[in-house]
Amino acid sequence: MPKRIRTTLRTTLAGSSALFSALLPAACDHSATDPQLGAPAPFYRDVSLSDLENRLKTGTARVEVSIIPGGLVARRVEIEKPDEVTKPEEIRGRITGVTPSGDHGTVTLGELGGLEIAFDSSTRFHGAGGPSIRADAAAHPDHGHKTVADLLARVQAELAAGRHPGVKARRNPAAQPQASDDGSFTASELEFDHGANHPFVKLNVSAASLTTNATPPPDAWLKLLGLQFELRVSDRTTQLKIENPRLQGVRGFDGVVQAVDEAGGTVTLEGGTIIRIVAGTEFEPKEGDDGDHLTSLADVAAALAAGKTVRAEGKGLVESLTPLTFDAIRIELEVE
């Protein structure tokens, strides 16, 4: 398991972390309520390939593609709420190479077909917690990384030792979706050492990105950043889902687990944020024999009892602000 560099708790807008769920039934009942409907509502509903095709024909849509590691096959594709198209686009994956050159360079993600994420002097960097720094701000401290060069040197040392730290890249969306065969992505923000067992791409797309296949498998391809992601819907390898457009108050959460209450169905993060596991919550599945990925609160309790550090990441509906409490829509739990 790659070495993780611990980061501090952050909450982000849900636009940076919406996922479709292969485990969540379309008609699932749960304790969260739709603020507009005032009644229990499903987080997602299943859609067909033709539904996806028709949705893209109506205009720009924000999709998140969760990828099965080891290839370019989508585990799930989610169409997010219409207002998400104005929020930052994101990519997450494991680093296989870093090429710095002064105040710019690239980070290579091997799991995503060798996709190169560019950075420049305007990119903000995060690593090992603490404030962000820019490539042209060499004097700003970053909790042990005095410069961006120091941070990148540590990432390179990890790579030299055979480890592949994760990274999450963000950028602001353009007025129109990027051409499907354009592989460029210049990050406005790079968050290194981020858990990346489940790589994903979250972009604005148009109908031009989707091509159906008359002789499946796969049933279709979704082309993003010059990469062709296979959609294998017929055999249920790929799940297609749409987020309930009327759910409000959705945000992301990310932090180190401080405590778990199996009976109460909650996880408490450092800083006091509470994550409630409800009937519609999706646990990210394990990949192969990955023993560091946890899929139940019992697993989390056992890991904490053994003195291990567990990180929780996902998104949920904000139920209260004091303390900040979420009903989890999706949660990923991993031993660091």
Side-chain angles (χ1 to χ4, degrees):
M1 178 72 187
K3 180 180 177 181
R4 309 275 184 203
I5 304 174
R6 180 170 163 178
T7 57
T8 57
L9 170 66
R10 299 193 311 119
T11 55
T12 58
L13 293 174
S16 67
S17 189
L19 287 175
F20 277 168
S21 165
L23 301 180
L24 179 62
C28 180
D29 188 15
H30 55 77
S31 63
T33 58
D34 183 325
Q36 295 187 34
L37 297 178
F43 293 137
Y44 307 103
R45 66 178 176 87
D46 294 306
V47 295
S48 67
L49 185 57
S50 60
D51 290 332
L52 174 62
E53 188 173 19
N54 290 335
R55 172 61 186 87
L56 294 182
K57 287 178 180 177
T58 66
T60 301
R62 172 63 60 87
V63 300
E64 183 167 326
V65 184
S66 180
I67 300 124
I68 299 173
L72 294 180
V73 178
R75 176 194 290 111
R76 60 180 173 257
V77 178
E78 177 186 306
I79 308 170
E80 297 186 353
K81 301 188 304 294
D83 62 351
E84 298 297 317
V85 299
T86 63
K87 296 176 182 177
E89 297 177 315
E90 290 190 20
I91 297 173
R92 185 176 81 171
R94 292 197 187 281
I95 303 170
T96 54
V98 177
T99 307
S101 179
D103 62 0
H104 64 280
T106 60
V107 174
T108 302
L109 307 182
E111 292 176 317
L112 292 173
L115 180 68
E116 292 188 344
I117 305 297
F119 60 85
D120 56 28
S121 60
S122 67
T123 304
R124 287 195 173 276
F125 293 76
H126 297 269
S132 64
I133 49 177
R134 292 184 186 272
D136 61 352
H140 287 198
D142 184 29
H143 285 230
H145 300 294
K146 292 186 170 33
T147 66
V148 169
D150 294 334
L151 175 57
L152 295 178
R154 182 169 180 180
V155 173
Q156 289 175 314
E158 292 284 297
L159 295 173
R163 295 183 288 268
H164 298 282
V167 68
K168 183 181 280 187
R170 301 181 182 88
R171 72 177 182 188
N172 292 323
Q176 298 296 326
Q178 183 167 310
S180 60
D181 58 355
D182 182 353
S184 63
F185 191 104
T186 299
S188 60
E189 182 179 1
L190 284 174
E191 182 182 349
F192 290 97
D193 311 310
H194 199 284
N197 267 356
H198 296 92
F200 65 75
V201 173
K202 186 179 68 174
L203 296 175
N204 289 346
V205 302
S206 66
S209 292
L210 183 67
T211 303
T212 56
N213 184 12
T215 56
D219 301 275
W221 295 273
L222 191 62
K223 191 171 186 180
L224 307 171
L225 299 169
L227 304 172
Q228 292 225 111
F229 297 104
E230 295 185 8
L231 306 186
R232 295 177 173 262
V233 182
S234 298
D235 63 5
R236 305 282 298 175
T237 298
T238 304
Q239 301 292 302
L240 304 180
K241 301 206 175 258
I242 187 167
E243 190 173 51
N244 184 338
R246 304 194 70 179
L247 290 178
Q248 302 296 321
V250 179
R251 292 171 61 183
F253 55 82
D254 180 9
V256 173
V257 176
Q258 176 179 290
V260 60
D261 179 354
E262 291 184 69
T266 64
V267 170
T268 302
L269 307 183
E270 290 183 349
T273 296
I274 297 172
I275 312 300
R276 301 195 311 191
I277 307 303
V278 297
T281 301
E282 169 206 350
F283 284 86
E284 284 281 6
K286 292 183 179 181
E287 294 294 348
D289 59 356
D290 178 12
D292 292 314
H293 205 77
L294 312 177
T295 57
S296 72
L297 295 188
D299 289 344
V300 177
L304 294 180
K308 298 178 180 179
T309 299
V310 177
R311 173 169 294 280
E313 179 191 2
K315 73 169 188 175
L317 294 171
V318 176
E319 288 301 306
S320 68
L321 296 176
T322 311
L324 181 58
T325 302
F326 293 88
D327 277 358
I329 296 173
R330 173 189 55 80
I331 189 166
E332 182 175 353
L333 296 158
E334 190 170 18
V335 175
E336 294 193 321

